[in-house]
Amino acid sequence: MAVLLLLAAIGADTLGAEGAAFYLLLAAVVVTAHAALQAYGHLVELPGTAPTLAAARLNATLGVLALSLVLVAAAVHAHGAVPPVGISAAVASLALLGLQGAVRLVAKPS
């Protein structure tokens, strides 16, 4: 869901609809924060000897980094005219969420 919101926000930016991009980024903040907290909760529940502990740590870290970048993108968009750092933060967050999904697929227990 966060990926779709970020893609929509980036698309709105390219079309010049900075206001819509701002609200899409605000929605992405909520969804990304929920996902980051869920990843952290999963990490806390794992025993110290779990074989997927390293993947859970990486997943939680990527979630927090993605959330931080979405917050930066939303904060930059709040002022109207968007400097390149706002779009770059959204694209970097999108990349981190993609990497987080890849980690989940690789570490998925069979």
Side-chain angles (χ1 to χ4, degrees), residues 81-92:
V82 182
V85 70
I87 297 170
S88 297
V91 170

Side-chain angles (χ1 to χ4, degrees), residues 19-69:
F22 173 67
Y23 288 112
L24 287 165
L25 285 169
L26 284 181
V29 166
V30 174
V31 173
T32 308
H34 180 268
L37 285 172
Q38 188 175 16
Y40 180 70
H42 178 68
L43 173 63
V44 170
E45 290 177 352
L46 284 177
T49 59
T52 59
L53 185 62
R57 284 180 181 159
L58 180 60
N59 196 12
T61 303
L62 289 172
V64 169
L65 290 174
L67 173 61
S68 300
L69 288 170

